[in-house]
Amino acid sequence: MKKLFVILLAAFMLVGCYDKTTKISDPKTVLVTLDNKTITKGDIYDVMGKVEPYPAVVALTLSKKMILAKEVGITAEITAAATTALNAFLEKNKADVAKAIKDAGYKTQEDIYNNKFVVEAQADALVSKYLTDTFTTIVSTYKPVKARLMEIEKKTDADLALAAIKNGESFDAVAKKYANDSYVSDSKIYYTGSDLPELVATFLQAAHVPTLSDVMEDTDNKLFYIVQVNVADANSIKEEIITTFTKDANFIELGLMGYYTSNKFKIYDRTLYDMIGTNYPDYIIE
């Protein structure tokens, strides 16, 4: 799945074969509408004439900027986050800041601040807003819980590990003694899209209260699992879930597409429609 968050940050580094000396006779022709606002041929040509990216990327870049401006704007929090990110970048690349900025695809410090760090801060805020507004649906659909687990390679070790936890030893200490390194034993947020063995995912989805599993055997892979659910009530860890999901590619995409839909993103130009449909089909809103 192509990620528009990545597309936007890369858009001004893409080079095409568009002839920037070409003149267009119909710059006011509307190609895209979004929330009753328009993107015209002239808008796209203006960007292409400066840096020559692919027109579909330009249209998606401009439309995303429209969504960010409407839904989150530039607040004190966004400015602070962008400034912190810029300062970290400058510190990391202090040996040759100008080269680092150029290597990142930008011209000046102001350019990278406005078109990378502000946009990234806005993107985080956009996803956070979406998750906050749709939290009840997110919980019912994705069933997030806070849990920890360990993967153990021998049944005898798994039985000893479970007995030790039941006798009061810490989950982390037991994991260090008996488990392999496949999973971090610290508590973290898991949901239906987490990359987990099927039997572990099934156990987590069925958990409605804090609980400790028995030893669960994956007979296909000859591995054993112990799972401890620390928090099953998603509402009690709402902010932690939102913070975690804000950095998750699945929810970044989900949030962005939600705002494309609610703002009635529509493409009127057949050629542009086909370009986007071929390369970025998720952004074709029916």
Side-chain angles (χ1 to χ4, degrees):
M1 186 179 290
K2 308 271 178 98
K3 303 301 181 187
L4 190 54
F5 283 150
V6 177
I7 293 169
L8 179 60
L9 297 180
F12 296 101
M13 294 181 280
L14 296 180
V15 177
C17 57
Y18 199 82
D19 180 2
K20 58 186 168 187
T21 66
T22 302
K23 303 296 181 183
I24 54 173
S25 59
D26 50 353
K28 294 185 180 180
T29 298
V30 174
L31 302 183
V32 173
T33 58
L34 186 100
D35 186 38
N36 297 318
K37 295 181 175 60
T38 63
I39 297 173
T40 66
K41 280 189 178 181
D43 294 328
I44 290 180
Y45 175 80
D46 182 58
V47 176
M48 292 176 68
K50 293 175 181 176
V51 291
E52 304 180 309
Y54 187 52
V57 174
V58 178
L60 294 176
T61 299
L62 293 176
S63 63
K64 184 190 171 185
K65 285 188 172 182
M66 291 163 66
I67 289 174
L68 292 175
K70 178 195 172 186
E71 300 293 345
V72 298
I74 298 179
T75 64
E77 290 79 9
I78 286 171
T79 299
T83 300
T84 298
L86 173 63
N87 289 339
F89 175 87
L90 296 176
E91 176 62 26
K92 180 180 179 180
N93 298 285
K94 59 185 176 182
D96 195 339
V97 170
K99 182 178 183 301
I101 291 173
K102 182 179 179 180
D103 289 347
Y106 301 91
K107 295 179 180 179
T108 64
Q109 185 171 310
E110 180 180 11
D111 184 23
I112 196 171
Y113 174 80
N114 289 324
N115 292 304
K116 175 176 171 61
F117 297 120
V118 169
V119 169
E120 288 177 344
Q122 286 180 307
D124 285 348
L126 183 77
V127 181
S128 181
K129 177 184 177 183
Y130 176 81
L131 292 169
T132 300
D133 292 345
T134 62
F135 189 74
T136 299
T137 301
I138 294 294
V139 169
S140 63
T141 303
Y142 297 98
K143 299 177 172 54
V145 297
K146 190 171 185 179
R148 48 193 174 188
L149 65 143
M150 64 178 78
E151 181 180 271
I152 303 171
E153 297 174 0
K154 295 180 180 179
K155 179 66 162 60
T156 52
D157 286 345
D159 290 337
L160 289 171
L162 182 63
I165 294 169
K166 288 183 174 181
N167 285 332
E169 291 189 43
S170 75
F171 195 96
D172 184 57
V174 173
K176 288 178 180 177
K177 184 175 182 180
Y178 294 105
N180 60 28
D181 296 329
S182 295
Y183 297 96
V184 177
S185 60
D186 296 337
S187 292
K188 60 180 291 186
I189 304 297
Y190 293 101
Y191 68 99
T192 54
S194 297
D195 185 15
L196 294 169
E198 184 177 352
L199 76 170
V200 174
T202 299
F203 179 82
L204 290 175
Q205 290 170 33
H208 300 295
V209 295
T211 186
L212 176 67
S213 74
D214 293 326
V215 173
M216 297 186 291
E217 181 179 0
D218 181 344
T219 54
D220 291 334
N221 296 305
K222 297 181 180 180
L223 292 168
F224 303 88
Y225 298 90
I226 299 173
V227 181
Q228 185 176 61
V229 177
N230 304 101
V231 183
D233 178 12
N235 289 305
S236 68
I237 51 172
K238 180 177 179 178
E239 293 306 316
E240 185 175 354
I241 290 172
I242 289 173
T243 298
T244 300
F245 285 0
T246 295
K247 303 297 184 183
D248 186 304
N250 291 327
F251 294 101
I252 291 172
E253 189 77 5
L254 184 67
L256 184 60
M257 295 313 303
Y259 288 115
Y260 265 84
T261 300
S262 64
N263 284 285
K264 298 180 173 62
F265 178 67
K266 188 172 183 179
I267 306 164
Y268 293 89
D269 181 79
R270 183 77 241 179
T271 300
L272 183 63
Y273 183 96
D274 289 342
M275 287 179 179
I276 293 174
T278 299
N279 295 282
Y280 314 106
D282 297 315
Y283 300 97
I284 299 297
I285 308 298
E286 301 296 341

